[in-house]
Amino acid sequence: MPEELRHQAIVSANHTSHPAPTVLQGLRVLELGQVLAAPFAGAIFADLGAEVLKIERVQGGDDARRMGAPFRHGDALAFHIFNRGKQSIALDLKSDTGRSAFEALAAQADILVHNLRPGVAAEMGLDGPTLCARHPRLIYCEISAFGHTGPMAQRPGYEPLVQAYSGLSSTNGGPADPPIRIGASVCDQGSGMWAVIGALSLLQQRQRTGRGGVVQTSLLETALVWNAQKTDAWLNQGQLPVRHASGHPGFVPYEAFDASDGPFLICCGNDRLFAKLAHELGQDRWTTDARFATNQARLQHKDALFAELCPLLRQRPRGEWMTRFEAVGVPCSPILSVSETMVEPQVRSLEMVLPVPGEDFTLTGLPLSFDGVRSALTQGAPRLGQHNAAHGIAPPAAD
């Protein structure tokens, strides 16, 4: 069955023709990216129609090419995901020839984005202030692990380290769980998003002033923003977060429950929705019970409510509860696996899974539509140094 579901998801990606992206057409972006944060920023620019030149090491290129088993053309799937639509130029930035070629590219670029190890750009004279002094219109985006200032500014870092250090892991999971990493790379990819937002903001400013500038963001700053609801509660109210697994600290009931055949979520975000839930369960008395009548009361008497609610929900299958609750407007959802999600009619109708031109596989597109239309992917990920010649640069020497 999983293979059948996967086939359905792949087939559904090919039934609509999507237009080529043009939103950022005419914009040139240089990317000095490794693995994820800066490459994700570059992928966003490319998906929106910008020309993205990925500058890679001559020997081996981006480490993401080897971040997993070979998928296509000797490169790992992760590399294809985050580098579609780009051109690859292999340069030795420690050589005079390589730096000269890079300067020529920078002179024609609108935006540069990198996540080089702290200190490396400065060692090569490619830090923001220095490069922008030579190219005043350039918008320079720097992504680091721990930020551009402070005692840890020069420290490299990875997603799980930053999730752990920022407190993000400590707020994830259930009450009895150890701190748990969030499965998605929310700090890496979030930092890439912030870099794009910052770059486009400075691009707007450049239209007025004629000058670019330096955008700085980091995985740590991104993690702190994602966790701000928790940290601000501690700073302002002295409240440390309680982990709720699938639940919510401010609403009851608002989490996963077990039906007779599987789990599903119920989200009662106000007392009106709770009253509908109670009525559908034949428990109208809950709305007049002082312990349960209001959300604030339910927060105080959650265990007592759940002692009654949970056994009721276990009596019938999930599909029946879903049908009944949706009919009266109670927000609910089955808890689906990845394979189940990707063949859901709603997910398929969004057409986010897009064919890669010239390839035999699909990738997930950006979560953006313009005038109701999602843009196509323009091409797959490049081979190392594939576009050197197109920019008048000698091809990289063979290993």
Side-chain angles (χ1 to χ4, degrees), residues 70-138:
F71 172 69
R72 294 291 189 278
H73 316 301
D75 295 320
L77 177 59
F79 181 80
H80 289 273
I81 292 171
F82 296 110
N83 293 282
R84 74 278 189 106
K86 303 176 186 177
Q87 301 177 39
S88 172
I89 298 176
L91 290 179
D92 178 5
L93 292 178
K94 296 181 180 180
S95 71
D96 291 340
T97 301
R99 284 195 297 271
S100 177
F102 177 84
E103 289 294 330
L105 294 173
Q108 300 298 318
D110 297 287
I111 298 168
L112 179 145
V113 58
H114 82 78
N115 63 334
L116 297 172
R117 182 170 50 83
V120 169
E123 290 172 3
M124 296 187 293
L126 302 180
D127 56 284
T130 301
L131 198 59
C132 286
R134 297 198 294 269
H135 308 288
R137 289 179 53 81
L138 182 66

Side-chain angles (χ1 to χ4, degrees), residues 2 6 26 61 63 78 95 116 210 216 251 258 280 292-293 330 356 385:
R6 191 173 71 89
D63 289 337
S95 71
L116 297 172
Q216 294 161 314
F251 297 114
D258 288 321
E280 194 60 32
F292 309 147
V330 174
V356 181

